[in-house]
Amino acid sequence: MTRLGWAILGLIVLAIAGFLSLTRFGGGGPHASQRAAIVPVDEAKSPIPGRLAVPVRGYPRNAIRDNWGDPRGDGTRAHHGTDIMAPAGATAVAVAPGRIEKLFDSKLGGTTLYLRSRDRRWIYYYAHLAGYAPGVVEGMAVTTGTPLGYVGDTGDAGPGNYHLHFGMQRMRADERWYQGEDVDPYPMLAAGGAGG
């Protein structure tokens, strides 16, 4: 086999390993109910297991770019999320069914929202919001596509740098909204990503 062939095979094996690390086959694994519950908004009538809805209403899935690990803070830290460059005021929506765990204002994230999955094993993090959608409160149950807030430039985004920072954390059921393990959301959002 040629070097190119080995490289392609290696990439396929890594992609499969990455997908399998997010899923578990058999009865009642830690992500079994999560796989069944996650459906994209634009494909809600034909669910694709293992894929999240696009978190900005009307944003094309194939326009999402992978920026996980990019340098931030003048190179002092790595980016832990996917930035979706969208117009100011675009509607941020729930990527999966769950419950609003926390509404929070922070120096880096600005106006933020933490959505916890129904099975409590995932937190979906929305940052740099301009504000929350009417009626959004902590403890509120939501379905895929429920409006949560609006794209803004709060926190360290910088004036006029309108985008949604979307993050994911793997959680234990007893962990609080800020205690999870960061996971790259890009494979769950991008065209042709996991389950696609």
Side-chain angles (χ1 to χ4, degrees):
M1 186 179 288
T2 66
R3 283 186 178 174
L4 177 61
W6 282 110
I8 291 171
L9 180 61
L11 288 173
I12 291 170
V13 169
L14 285 173
I16 291 170
F19 174 73
L20 291 176
S21 73
L22 295 174
T23 61
R24 187 169 171 177
F25 300 97
H31 305 295
S33 62
Q34 184 69 13
R35 286 193 313 270
I38 298 173
V39 295
V41 172
D42 56 346
E43 298 161 358
K45 292 185 173 141
S46 176
I48 298 175
R51 203 172 188 200
L52 296 172
V54 174
V56 177
R57 181 181 287 155
Y59 196 88
R61 188 178 292 280
N62 63 3
I64 298 172
R65 299 292 173 249
D66 184 5
N67 41 56
W68 176 270
D70 287 357
R72 293 292 189 269
D74 294 325
T76 59
R77 57 188 167 82
H79 188 239
H80 284 189
T82 296
D83 285 344
I84 299 175
M85 308 312 285
T91 304
V93 298
V95 295
R99 190 168 297 279
I100 305 299
E101 180 112 346
K102 187 71 175 174
L103 304 176
F104 190 71
D105 191 48
S106 75
K107 182 178 178 183
L108 294 179
T111 302
T112 65
L113 181 146
Y114 294 77
L115 169 63
R116 192 152 193 165
S117 65
R118 285 183 180 161
D119 65 7
R120 299 188 51 78
R121 297 189 187 279
W122 295 98
I123 283 279
Y124 307 113
Y125 172 64
Y126 297 73
H128 309 307
L129 297 171
Y132 303 116
V136 168
V137 294
E138 289 181 9
M140 173 183 166
V142 300
T143 59
T144 304
T146 298
L148 301 176
Y150 305 101
V151 171
D153 61 354
T154 61
D156 72 346
N161 185 20
Y162 300 108
H163 70 282
L164 174 70
H165 170 94
F166 179 78
M168 275 177 68
Q169 289 83 35
R170 183 178 290 120
M171 308 292 290
R172 290 192 314 262
D174 62 336
E175 286 182 312
R176 300 202 52 208
W177 55 276
Y178 55 87
Q179 294 177 310
E181 170 195 355
D182 289 330
V183 174
D184 183 357
Y186 179 76
M188 300 296 282
L189 296 173

